[in-house]
Amino acid sequence: MRRRLRLRGDAWITLLLGAALGLLLYAQRDSTAPTTSAPRAQGRAAPGPSPRLRVFQGPDAGPALQAYEEDTPEPPKPTPPGPFDFGRYLRAKDQRHFPLLINQPHKCRRDGVFGSGPDLLIAVKSVAADFERRQAVRQTWGAEGRVQGALVRRVFLLGLPRGTGSDQAEAEGAGTQTHWHTLLRAESRAYADILLWAFEDTFFNLTLKEIHFLAWASAYCPDARFVFKGDADVFVHVENLLDFLAARDPAQDLLAGDVIVQARPIRLRASKYYIPEAVYGLPAYPAYAGGGGFVFSGATLRRLAGACAQVELFPIDDVFLGMCLQRLRLTPEPHPAFRTFGIPQPSAAPHLRTFDPCFYRELVVVHGLSATDIWLMWHLLHSPRGPACAHPWPAAASSFQWSR
């Protein structure tokens, strides 16, 4: 009897100790939860159109594009960390010639000789740390080779990572070569698609990336029939793009995309898009194609390179290109299948998820996808059976205009 009471007491003690340990672990988990979850929430970028385009989004525009699954971690964006120093920009804005550190001089040679360039040259804006997105583009819509009989070539456009001087970039074999430059050199040897210039890769230096690419393409790819230029976070249905270009003459002027008219300069100092009247005094920008993705002909490539060399640099790249078009008296052509604001949520079906291959099947460009989403959408559209979709849905074929 005494032994039974002792065992019963031991059982109660064990039970109490177990309960106390459970409460202790529970309390410890609650106390550490904020410190483990907060960085993850801060580090994850919201899916949808990039901040550079979303800042102009009208009040009646749809919500951000929904991702199919959790986004991959975003790389550092080429944006200034604080208020833009316009004094420094104005002092340095006439510096428009920077050395080309990594080149692809044979990119547009067909059968080893010049004279017959690619049917489509794809140029993608990227940053040094964004290897994951470059791989997604290489393995999906940006793959080189023959597409519907057309020869496609690809380059990525990069500047120096912030805080890295050109002297460091050019120091090869001297023991001072930076880690990023070693990786970019290796990537260039593996894929032969990296173009690197000796200016810092910042948001306001995207204009430098614009003019340097136009100069490079004019020199090394003068016979390209058409050029598509866009961001690394877009999905491009290349087959639809080639169908659109099949009826166009590369010897005639063309620049088509998501055309934006009557966009007003941002005068709010707190905005990273702030443009003081001393820099641009007019009430509205000229018509321009959203920088997320647009296409232009070989004839326009050569004319744009000359015009942009004469237009004063402006710190927003797609607006700057609109200024170059204005100088040429060339109006950009709106195309409803270029969606640089993403796919808006249908008002009649707010529950509908817009990440669906049936939405993408009829489009050319959709902006604001993670590397995972780009890879997945491409495979959904190019599977042997293809998506089971109903009739194509209509799209308004007019320029986007901001209300006054």
Side-chain angles (χ1 to χ4, degrees):
M1 183 66 178
R2 187 177 303 169
R3 177 181 175 82
R4 187 180 303 170
L5 289 174
R6 190 185 308 116
L7 290 175
R8 186 177 299 174
D10 292 344
W12 276 108
I13 292 173
T14 303
L15 182 61
L16 289 173
L17 288 175
L21 180 60
L23 289 172
L24 180 62
L25 292 174
Y26 183 78
Q28 184 178 6
R29 187 195 67 175
D30 286 349
S31 64
T32 58
T35 59
T36 56
S37 60
R40 189 181 308 142
Q42 293 170 359
R44 178 181 174 183
S50 71
R52 179 166 59 87
L53 291 177
R54 191 164 57 239
V55 71
F56 296 123
Q57 193 164 349
D60 57 344
L65 181 65
Q66 296 295 318
Y68 181 81
E69 58 188 14
E70 184 173 352
D71 281 347
T72 52
E74 293 287 347
K77 295 294 183 183
T79 54
F84 185 59
D85 186 352
F86 268 100
R88 180 182 176 187
Y89 171 77
L90 291 173
R91 290 190 297 271
K93 69 180 180 62
D94 293 327
Q95 298 178 12
R96 56 167 72 216
H97 301 292
F98 291 83
L100 182 59
L101 304 178
I102 299 180
N103 191 13
Q104 307 300 334
H106 307 298
K107 174 57 65 174
C108 290
R109 292 188 181 183
R110 184 183 292 194
D111 300 326
V113 297
F114 284 119
S116 181
D119 298 295
L120 179 64
L121 173 65
I122 294 174
V124 183
K125 292 176 286 186
S126 184
V127 295
D130 206 354
F131 176 77
E132 183 181 23
R133 284 193 188 276
R134 290 195 291 275
Q135 279 296 85
V137 171
R138 290 178 180 122
Q139 296 173 5
T140 57
W141 62 266
E144 294 188 315
R146 294 280 177 178
V147 180
Q148 297 180 171
L151 180 62
V152 178
R153 290 287 182 258
R154 172 197 68 241
V155 289
F156 290 98
L157 316 177
L158 290 84
L160 299 175
R162 175 174 289 276
T164 304
S166 59
D167 291 340
Q168 288 177 295
E170 294 174 334
E172 292 192 62
T176 59
Q177 186 179 28
T178 58
H179 180 60
W180 66 264
H181 196 246
T182 302
L183 293 177
L184 285 179
R185 285 288 184 185
E187 188 175 346
S188 177
R189 288 193 295 269
Y191 300 103
D193 59 5
I194 298 294
L195 296 177
L196 174 69
W197 286 276
F199 54 81
E200 277 197 335
D201 217 336
T202 65
F203 174 77
F204 287 100
N205 276 350
L206 288 175
T207 300
L208 292 176
K209 193 172 287 188
E210 189 78 55
I211 63 172
H212 282 78
F213 166 69
L214 290 173
W216 178 89
S218 297
Y220 293 99
C221 205
D223 299 311
R225 289 170 56 82
F226 296 97
V227 179
F228 173 84
K229 184 169 179 289
D231 291 342
D233 62 342
V234 299
F235 176 84
V236 182
H237 199 309
V238 176
E239 293 83 357
N240 289 350
L241 177 60
L242 292 172
D243 286 342
F244 165 67
L245 296 175
R248 311 307 292 256
D249 183 359
Q252 300 296 320
D253 275 325
L254 168 71
L255 191 144
D258 189 358
V259 177
I260 302 166
V261 298
Q262 295 299 316
R264 296 184 292 273
I266 303 297
R267 305 300 190 192
L268 184 64
R269 284 185 175 273
S271 172
K272 72 177 181 180
Y273 305 96
Y274 165 66
I275 299 294
E277 291 191 36
V279 175
Y280 188 84
L282 299 178
Y285 293 131
Y288 64 92
F294 54 88
V295 66
F296 51 97
S297 65
T300 301
L301 162 67
R302 293 182 286 275
R303 295 189 65 203
L304 267 181
C308 290
Q310 301 173 23
V311 173
E312 185 174 356
L313 295 182
F314 188 75
I316 302 178
D317 62 322
D318 43 13
V319 174
F320 169 76
L321 199 64
M323 295 174 178
C324 300
L325 294 174
Q326 187 178 52
R327 184 179 184 88
L328 294 173
R329 297 184 179 180
L330 177 61
T331 302
E333 179 180 325
H335 194 298
F338 286 69
R339 299 302 180 96
T340 57
F341 289 91
I343 301 177
Q345 194 83 14
S347 58
H351 62 282
L352 189 63
R353 302 195 68 176
T354 56
F355 190 85
D356 187 299
C358 295
F359 282 100
Y360 287 69
R361 186 184 62 168
E362 308 298 327
L363 299 177
V364 174
V365 174
V366 181
H367 194 196
L369 275 72
S370 69
T372 303
D373 289 343
I374 291 172
W375 187 91
L376 180 59
M377 180 55 67
W378 190 88
H379 283 277
L380 288 172
L381 287 172
H382 291 82
S383 63
R385 298 179 60 182
C389 304
H391 298 292
W393 54 284
S398 60
S399 301
F400 184 85
Q401 183 166 359
W402 299 107
S403 58
R404 293 183 181 275

